[in-house]
Amino acid sequence: MLSHLSLKQFAVVDAADLAFGPGLTVISGETGAGKSLLVDALGLLSGVRADSGVVRHGADRAELVGEFDLSDAPLAREWLREQELDDGDETDAVRCIVRRIVRADGGSRAWVNGSPVTLTQLGDLAGRLAEIHGQHEHQALMARPSQLALLDAFGRTDALRAEVAAAARRWTSLLRERDALQARGDVTERIEWLTHQHAELERDALEPEALAKLLAEHRRHGHASDLISACELAAARLGGEEGPSVSRTVQQARNELQRVTEHEPRLGEVDAMLDNAVIQLDEALALLDRVRSDLDLDPASLEALDRQLGRVHELARKHRVTPENLAARRDEIASELEELAGATTRLETLDADIARARDAWRAAADRLGAARRSAAQELSTSTTAIIAELGMGGGRFDIEFEALGDERPDPNGAERVEFLVAANPGQPARALRKVASGGELSRISLAIEVASLGLDAVPTMVFDEVDTGIGGAVAHIVGQKLRALGARRQVLCVTHLPQVAAHGHAHYRVSKSAQAGVTVSAVQVLDGRQREEEIARMIGGVELTREARAAAKRLLADVD
């Protein structure tokens, strides 16, 4: 919902700051005062291209700022998150500030929540915030995707449309899988090559733990001679083959100390330590014996270990990885082989899966199409009746369906729609986007919105000169319809008819005056008394007669 609109140096407006609320807000004023400037400003905030003519004479730039409450605009909130134009603050997540500056040289810039955006982005956001009815280039309802969305909202086809979208995604996924498999071509040669590589990598144990064990064993065999000599010498010295035995010497020391321990208790601790030392020495000698017995000068084993290490390093160079990563490379090749082996079989079954997915999409699309045609009949009947009430007797509203092929999956279904209108009896129905009269177009748009109960997702609707070419009882009906629509959506309406203006929940007046020889427009919100005076002016012209004031009171009283 549009909550604030600020204009500076815009056309004939020096400065204006307007606040808007829910319901129907009407904007009136004398001819030429600039009533439609507010609509033009919203158009520029919606991404319409600007020229220097919108900058007030003598100013270097025009500035427009619109603030929107997003509590009723979930699509806009989602778009802002996708574009990263919300700052993540929960407070700011329910509001949006759109700013645009147009320079006197015709250039312009735009921002959303302080971040610069393109005109395309501005248009995308605006399409989720407001619809402007009355100018062809601004009409969201003119776009066929918007028409289809409105029909689906009217027919409440969300569940059916979700089924079609899900079926389309399944079908698309299978088509992409087939394309990817076919793009590989004949994989026989690659399978053969990978099989050879995998066999090479399978020959030896390549896990990091196995490689560490291999290196350790290679070092032991490579230094076997030194290891044997060291073990034998150590055993000889510890065991007493070369001089006194270390264990016997320690035991003799213990015997000497034990004779005098009673005179010095601390010597008991020394005796315990020496006892442990004897035990450790005996265990060391036993381990030395086992190590020595495991060692042997075996050139053949060393040669075999050399060959095995050589193969590991050669494989590492071949696959351009470190030896520690060879096992991972072997597993990658195994995975690819498994995938390729299943590719041929998968291609054989994929065509059948695609056919079933297409049939499922077709069935879901047919159900959605039937629901749409039923909703279209109801919407056409209701809109045609309202068109007649709005002064276009004999006019009719139709919805045309265009069937699409089923060669490729479409998440939106198997058809597109076009809104058709015949504004007068005897005329052929034409596409809504080709209706020439701005007033007729606005009224037709109003009829569609009222008939569809304002079910489209856009929270703000703007009607520019919706009452052109009508008066009397029809004008009163237009006002009633706008007010009814305002009960469900925020509605802004530029009007010159008192019967329409009287139905507003809020009322702005645009007036003009000459200041220093320059025409300036001002916008003022009207209270109860001022509103009565404005409606009286709309009835009787410049001179406010007693009769005009009485008629204005009656109009307002009839609405209340």
Side-chain angles (χ1 to χ4, degrees), residues 10-65:
F10 178 62
V12 292
V13 176
D14 180 21
D17 190 8
L18 314 176
F20 297 95
L24 170 62
T25 297
V26 295
I27 302 162
S28 65
E30 297 177 2
T31 302
K35 297 187 297 296
S36 293
L37 283 178
L38 300 181
V39 179
D40 295 338
L42 287 174
L44 288 171
L45 290 176
S46 300
V48 173
R49 295 195 175 277
D51 56 49
S52 59
V54 303
V55 181
R56 187 167 178 263
H57 180 70
D60 59 354
R61 69 180 190 179
E63 181 176 356
L64 314 170
V65 179

Side-chain angles (χ1 to χ4, degrees), residues 180-429:
L181 290 176
Q182 291 176 338
R184 290 179 172 179
D186 187 3
V187 297
T188 303
E189 290 186 4
R190 181 159 181 82
I191 289 176
E192 292 176 354
W193 182 61
L194 289 175
T195 301
H196 172 71
Q197 285 195 324
H198 190 261
E200 286 184 330
L201 292 167
E202 280 278 284
R203 182 174 179 179
D204 295 300
L206 298 175
E207 283 69 19
E209 298 81 3
L211 291 179
K213 183 177 179 181
L214 174 64
L215 286 171
E217 190 172 354
H218 183 269
R219 284 195 301 270
R220 188 169 64 251
H221 277 76
H223 296 84
S225 178
D226 293 340
L227 288 170
I228 291 172
S229 296
C231 287
E232 289 178 345
L233 180 59
R237 289 179 176 176
L238 291 174
E241 295 179 12
E242 294 186 4
S245 167
V246 176
S247 296
R248 187 178 302 113
T249 301
V250 172
Q251 187 60 48
Q252 290 173 351
R254 290 186 64 203
N255 293 336
E256 294 294 331
L257 292 173
Q258 286 173 354
R259 288 198 299 268
V260 295
T261 299
E262 60 179 329
H263 306 302
E264 174 53 70
R266 287 178 296 177
L267 292 178
E269 295 180 18
V270 174
D271 181 64
M273 292 178 185
L274 292 175
D275 183 39
N276 287 331
V278 171
I279 295 172
Q280 293 292 324
L281 284 170
D282 290 342
E283 291 180 354
L285 279 169
L287 182 56
L288 270 174
D289 185 59
R290 289 196 299 273
V291 171
R292 173 60 189 88
S293 62
D294 290 340
L295 292 171
D296 195 7
L297 292 175
D298 187 354
S301 296
L302 179 60
E303 184 179 351
L305 291 171
D306 281 335
R307 288 196 300 269
Q308 188 174 355
L309 272 178
R311 287 196 303 271
V312 169
H313 288 292
E314 179 62 27
L315 287 172
R317 285 192 296 270
K318 183 176 181 178
H319 291 275
R320 297 180 180 181
V321 296
T322 63
E324 292 77 13
N325 289 320
L326 280 173
R329 176 60 184 150
R330 179 199 60 206
D331 294 342
E332 288 175 5
I333 292 175
S335 297
E336 186 176 355
L337 274 172
E338 184 179 354
E339 181 182 350
L340 291 175
T344 303
T345 304
R346 179 58 178 152
L347 271 174
E348 294 174 355
T349 61
L350 202 49
D351 286 339
D353 288 345
I354 289 173
R356 285 191 292 270
R358 181 178 60 248
D359 292 343
W361 176 86
R362 181 76 261 178
D366 287 345
R367 291 191 294 271
L368 175 60
R372 283 171 170 169
R373 283 172 171 79
S374 176
Q377 181 61 46
E378 184 179 350
L379 181 58
S380 297
T381 301
S382 299
T383 303
T384 298
I386 296 173
I387 286 175
E389 292 183 63
L390 298 181
M392 291 180 284
R396 73 179 189 278
F397 173 78
D398 291 322
I399 300 177
E400 180 182 67
F401 284 79
E402 175 189 353
L404 303 176
D406 59 358
E407 291 79 14
R408 302 293 292 183
D410 191 317
N412 294 314
E415 62 276 316
R416 294 292 175 269
V417 300
E418 179 86 66
F419 286 2
L420 305 178
V421 173
N424 298 293
Q427 290 184 345

